[in-house]
Amino acid sequence: MPAPAHLDPRLLRAFVTVAEELHFTRAAMRLYVAQQALSRDVRRLERELGSELFVRTTRQVALTPDGERLLPYARRALVAQDDLLAAAGQARPLLVDLNSPGLATGRRVLHRARELTPGHELMARYESGLTWAAGELTAGRLDASFGRFAGLPEALKAGLDQQPVRYEPMAVILPEGHRLAALDRVPLDALAGETVYAGAGNPRTPEWTDLARLLFEGRGIDVAPPAPLAVGEEESQRIMARTGHPVLAVVDFPPLPSMVLRPLVDPVPLSPVSLVWRKGMIHPALEGLRGAAAEIAAEEGWLRRPAKGWVSDRDLDVMSSP
């Protein structure tokens, strides 16, 4: 491709968004622009580069070979621009993934961070699972997330930094008529013989399924096979009711109709939660987010492990790092 003297970052952002969505209408909605304006920006970029970037048909949009080659460079250019603006005090919103709307740990940290950095915008996102969010972090489409860092593939961890936030006690969600639902707390051994759902088959949350396997090993508890991926509370409840399996969760998981949440004990299994962000990222609100996580962890004792708590060895190594 011939090299123009200057490329407008807006055009690069239009190209990258369409390349990620492979759909002009969805890309325009994501950028809050009219579809016609987005199409004009992409065509202008193609003219300036002297190359077609997309193959457009009435049914689909696909990247051309030139578009495939340009995409990683365009992403890096946009990340560099965002970091430059942040260093100059002109930061864009910090995009913080909370995994799921009902989970309390990340939400509490985000709310405190907004109090600590009133001059900056911190926007919540709900991407459901650290493994998937980690890819978005490295690509610059998210800025921070929460979850089990030790469960990430090494290739993803290499591009990320993390700060331990909490050992979160784990729980089990049970149908109201389940044999263990009458208990206030469920001993882990009482799940022997049960098949417990822990997200198997969900490509966004393999770190959670891995933690369940480590916890259940040698206890006679099976990890439930993959179920249809449910999106939203209503679908999740329907799938849970149909399978009848208990579901591994954390103590702050939001209530579901016709289900009961019971803490696990003897031992108390702990889900390690870290704040995770892209290595080298510069953003003034990131320090506020890290400070908020440290403050709440100290106030609430989030990083103190119960004497009879269970943590996997892999997670201990990560959570004890500075």
Side-chain angles (χ1 to χ4, degrees):
M1 289 181 286
H6 169 74
L7 282 177
D8 186 339
R10 188 186 83 250
L11 306 185
L12 288 179
R13 200 171 297 278
F15 161 68
V16 168
T17 307
V18 175
E20 290 170 355
E21 296 290 343
L22 293 179
H23 195 283
F24 275 83
T25 301
R26 288 197 299 266
M29 292 173 63
R30 191 168 134 190
L31 291 171
Y32 299 100
V33 299
Q35 182 178 337
Q36 294 87 344
L38 178 64
S39 297
R40 283 197 301 269
D41 282 347
V42 171
R43 285 196 298 269
R44 178 182 160 191
L45 180 63
E46 290 176 323
R47 286 196 303 271
E48 292 187 5
L49 293 174
S51 179
E52 190 175 40
L53 302 175
F54 295 102
V55 177
R56 306 159 176 87
T57 70
T58 55
R59 293 193 174 186
Q60 66 178 10
V61 176
L63 282 163
T64 65
D66 281 343
E68 294 276 6
R69 284 195 293 272
L70 178 63
L71 184 57
Y73 296 100
R75 281 174 171 159
R76 289 202 289 271
L78 291 174
V79 169
Q81 183 202 32
D82 289 341
D83 288 346
L84 176 63
L85 292 174
Q90 302 177 36
R92 57 170 175 75
L94 188 76
L95 303 181
V96 184
D97 169 41
L98 303 182
N99 300 146
S100 174
L103 298 179
T105 298
R107 188 173 72 250
R108 288 189 60 187
V109 171
L110 177 62
H111 289 177
R112 178 69 63 86
R114 286 170 175 160
E115 295 172 356
L116 296 177
T117 57
H120 298 287
E121 185 67 70
L122 292 89
M123 299 290 294
R125 293 291 186 270
Y126 304 99
E127 303 297 347
S128 181
L130 183 60
T131 298
W132 191 87
E136 299 295 282
L137 293 173
T138 57
R141 294 189 292 271
L142 283 175
D143 297 315
S145 188
F146 294 86
R148 181 179 172 244
F149 191 75
L152 294 179
E154 293 300 322
L156 281 176
K157 286 195 284 189
L160 302 170
D161 275 327
Q162 67 94 25
Q163 174 180 322
V165 174
R166 184 180 186 185
Y167 288 111
E168 190 165 11
M170 297 167 74
V172 64
I173 300 171
L174 302 165
E176 287 180 341
H178 192 275
R179 65 181 180 89
L180 300 175
L183 300 177
D184 292 331
R185 301 181 301 170
V186 174
L188 197 55
D189 289 346
L191 289 174
E194 294 280 352
T195 298
V196 179
Y197 181 69
N202 185 343
R204 298 188 172 211
T205 60
E207 75 283 354
W208 180 252
T209 308
D210 176 66
L211 182 63
R213 290 195 174 102
L214 293 172
L215 174 62
F216 296 163
E217 187 176 8
R219 300 181 188 274
I221 308 169
D222 293 326
V223 174
L229 184 58
V231 177
E233 179 182 302
E234 183 177 339
E235 280 297 284
S236 298
Q237 182 187 356
R238 184 180 66 83
I239 294 296
M240 289 164 59
R242 183 171 63 79
T243 63
H245 295 315
V247 177
L248 191 65
V250 292
V251 292
D252 287 332
F253 198 86
L256 293 172
S258 303
M259 304 285 175
V260 296
L261 181 76
R262 297 291 184 257
L264 289 169
V265 294
D266 301 330
V268 176
L270 301 171
S271 170
V273 180
S274 290
L275 171 63
V276 183
W277 65 94
R278 186 176 66 255
K279 271 186 179 173
M281 188 183 73
I282 301 170
H283 195 293
L286 177 61
E287 291 309 306
L289 194 67
R290 296 187 63 187
E295 276 190 18
I296 298 177
E299 290 171 3
E300 302 289 340
W302 276 358
L303 291 172
R304 288 198 303 266
R305 285 187 289 136
K308 294 184 178 180
W310 174 93
V311 185
S312 81
D313 291 339
R314 266 191 288 158
D315 291 292
L316 276 177
D317 290 341
V318 167
M319 297 295 281
S320 60
S321 63

